[in-house]
């Protein structure tokens, strides 16, 4: 079902045009680029992070593709999975047997310990929105702090692309085909192989220690101040500062989603709080609630959002969209059809990306076990 119309490239000038051409191999734009650029400012800011994940990732190309293929298969994204089968083949990154093994509930081939942990961590993030101690211990023995952050960001970033390509109706390129055994949509459903775990009610120790503010290099400090605001020197961003490149490349789209997209301020808050709740991130919820209180939102309304209750129809639609995206990585046909009567294409794209960026940050916060600031508390209704 095609849902979002493609951009006319002639409408693009300046920096967006340069970004568009950069993502158009051989001068032929990919379908994902033609549709993402329907919302020009969204894609301009997301492109920094997309470039980081695909071209500047501290994981090796093979390690990155293990994560991308595992996560996009489980998200049932034909577009992302088939694109990255091509990338893995052309780069000689994975064998045919390895790519097919990544579609199985349990890996059967003789992967290295650290490669199997990449697949396990992807499963756990999608199922539980965090990484178990056992899997983290293996990852931490083999990967640097920056690689650990990039692993989580890669899983989150390609879950974002899966949510977007699924929900926007992005079809595979004309020259590609759906192969038996390598196409999520023609295989049995029930993709999420990670075991659901009950929440752990215990004091968590940070897995990566945050920097102090006076330890920030000038460029990272300036980035945090400009993009995230003076009040954003929080434990999460000071932890991310251990990886300055991820801070610089992720910050533009975070700022866009938080304060510059086509949704109203209250609609952004609905997306952010509901996503944090569903992703089980106490850190995200507590900080989003604190932001909402500072903006003047009353406690009754906040508690309703936390519970997934709505006071009006449009808010109800946003909550349902976030629920479907987090649970199944797509806004279903019935809900999408209802939403197009209330939101523009750009606003629908911003809802999907707002949820997906919230999921990425929630996964990072929970997997790194970022401690809540002492002055913040979770609402009793959480």
């Amino acid at each position: 079902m095609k849902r979002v119309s493609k951009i006319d490239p002639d409408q693009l000038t300046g920096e967006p045009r340069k970004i568009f051409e950069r993502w158009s191999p051989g001068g032929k734009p990919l379908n994902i680029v033609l549709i993402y650029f329907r919302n020009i400012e969204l894609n301009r800011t997301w492109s920094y992070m997309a470039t980081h994940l695909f071209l500047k990732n501290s994981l090796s190309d093979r390690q990155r593709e293990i994560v991308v293929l595992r996560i996009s298969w489980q998200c049932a994204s034909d577009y992302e999975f088939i694109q990255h089968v091509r990338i893995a083949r052309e780069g000689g990154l994975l064998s045919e047997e390895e790519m097919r093994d990544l579609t199985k509930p349990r890996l059967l081939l003789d992967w290295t310990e650290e490669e199997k942990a990449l697949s396990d961590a992807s499963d756990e993030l999608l199922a539980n929105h965090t990484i178990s101690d056992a899997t983290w211990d293996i990852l931490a023995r083999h990967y640097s702090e920056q690689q650990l952050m990039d692993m989580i960001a890669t899983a989150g970033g390609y879950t974002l692309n899966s949510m977007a390509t699924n929900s926007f109706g992005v079809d595979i390129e004309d020259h590609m085909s759906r192969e038996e055994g390598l196409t999520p949509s023609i295989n049995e459903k029930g993709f999420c192989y990670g075991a659901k775990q009950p929440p752990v009610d215990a004091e968590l120790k940070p897995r990566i220690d945050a920097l102090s503010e006076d330890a920030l290099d000038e460029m990272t400090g300036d980035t945090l101040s400009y993009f995230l605001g003076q009040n954003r020197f929080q434990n999460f961003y000071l932890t991310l500062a251990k990886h300055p490149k991820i801070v610089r490349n992720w910050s533009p789209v975070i700022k866009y989603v938080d304060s510059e997209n086509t949704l109203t301020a209250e609609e952004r808050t609905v997306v952010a709080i509901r996503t944090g709740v569903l992703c089980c991130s106490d850190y995200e919820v507590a900080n989003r609630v604190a932001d909402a209180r500072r903006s003047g939102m009353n406690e009754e309304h906040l508690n309703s959002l936390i519970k997934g209750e709505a006071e009006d129809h449009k808010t109800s639609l946003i909550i349902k969209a976030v629920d479907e995206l987090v649970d199944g990585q797509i806004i279903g046909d019935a809900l999408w059809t209802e939403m197009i009567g209330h939101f523009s294409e750009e606003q629908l794209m911003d809802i999907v990306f707002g949820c997906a960026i919230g999921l990425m940050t929630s996964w990072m916060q929970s997997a790194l076990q970022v401690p809540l600031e002492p002055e913040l508390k979770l609402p009793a209704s959480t």
Side-chain angles (χ1 to χ4, degrees), residues 32-277:
I32 191 173
V33 178
L34 287 166
I35 288 181
Y36 274 19
F37 263 103
R38 181 65 183 173
N39 188 323
I40 295 174
E41 189 62 15
L42 165 62
N43 197 58
R44 185 191 69 79
T45 56
W46 168 243
S47 290
Y48 292 107
M49 190 61 180
T51 299
H52 173 87
L53 295 177
F54 188 63
L55 298 175
K56 300 180 181 180
N57 204 317
S58 62
L59 296 175
S60 71
D61 290 349
R62 175 179 168 86
Q63 291 161 350
R64 180 198 69 223
E65 290 309 308
I66 290 171
V67 175
V68 174
L69 288 172
R70 186 66 171 181
I71 209 82
S72 59
W73 177 267
Q74 297 209 58
C75 290
S77 173
D78 281 7
Y79 189 88
E80 283 301 317
F81 190 85
I82 291 170
Q83 277 284 1
H84 284 269
V85 164
R86 175 190 63 80
I87 289 166
R89 280 175 175 159
E90 291 180 356
L93 304 175
L94 293 161
S95 69
E96 294 295 317
E97 293 77 12
E98 287 172 330
M99 288 190 290
R100 290 178 183 276
D101 202 39
L102 286 169
T103 72
K104 309 302 181 186
R106 298 185 66 180
L107 301 185
L108 302 177
L109 299 180
D110 188 23
W111 300 84
T112 65
E113 179 185 56
E114 62 269 26
E115 288 180 342
K116 185 176 183 303
L118 291 175
S119 176
D120 289 344
S122 301
D123 292 354
E124 292 170 7
L125 284 166
L126 200 57
N128 304 314
H129 310 296
T130 191
I131 298 174
S132 68
D133 287 340
T135 302
W136 184 267
D137 289 345
I138 296 170
L139 292 170
R141 287 202 302 271
H142 295 280
Y143 300 109
S144 68
E145 289 183 341
Q146 292 191 354
Q147 287 175 314
L148 291 167
M149 291 186 192
D150 276 341
M151 180 272 143
I152 301 163
T154 300
Y158 283 92
T159 298
L160 179 153
N161 278 338
S162 296
M163 286 179 171
T165 55
N166 290 344
S167 296
F168 303 159
V170 183
D171 199 7
I172 62 173
E173 310 301 329
D174 291 340
H175 61 279
M176 294 183 178
S177 60
R178 290 177 164 85
E179 302 176 48
E180 181 66 37
L182 290 175
T183 303
S185 67
I186 59 176
N187 288 274
E188 291 184 9
K189 298 300 180 183
F191 296 92
C192 193
Y193 303 138
K196 293 281 186 181
Q197 301 292 334
V200 177
D201 186 16
E203 185 175 350
L204 301 178
K205 181 180 178 181
R207 286 171 166 169
I208 293 178
D209 292 329
L211 286 177
S212 62
E213 290 186 34
D214 56 11
L216 293 172
D217 65 81
E218 184 176 0
M219 181 175 291
T220 304
D222 288 346
T223 299
L224 289 172
S225 294
Y226 177 74
F227 283 110
L228 305 170
Q230 293 292 345
N231 66 331
R232 290 297 187 138
F233 283 110
Q234 300 168 352
N235 291 339
F236 174 54
Y237 296 114
L238 292 172
T239 302
L240 280 189
K242 287 283 191 73
H243 193 346
K245 288 182 180 178
I246 213 171
V247 171
R248 291 196 290 272
N249 290 307
W250 200 351
S251 294
V253 74
I254 290 177
K255 184 181 183 188
Y256 174 81
V257 164
D258 279 358
S259 60
E260 297 177 346
N261 69 17
T262 60
L263 303 176
T264 67
E266 183 163 334
E267 288 167 345
R268 294 181 200 124
T269 298
V270 174
V271 173
I273 290 179
R274 187 61 183 164
T275 302
V277 169

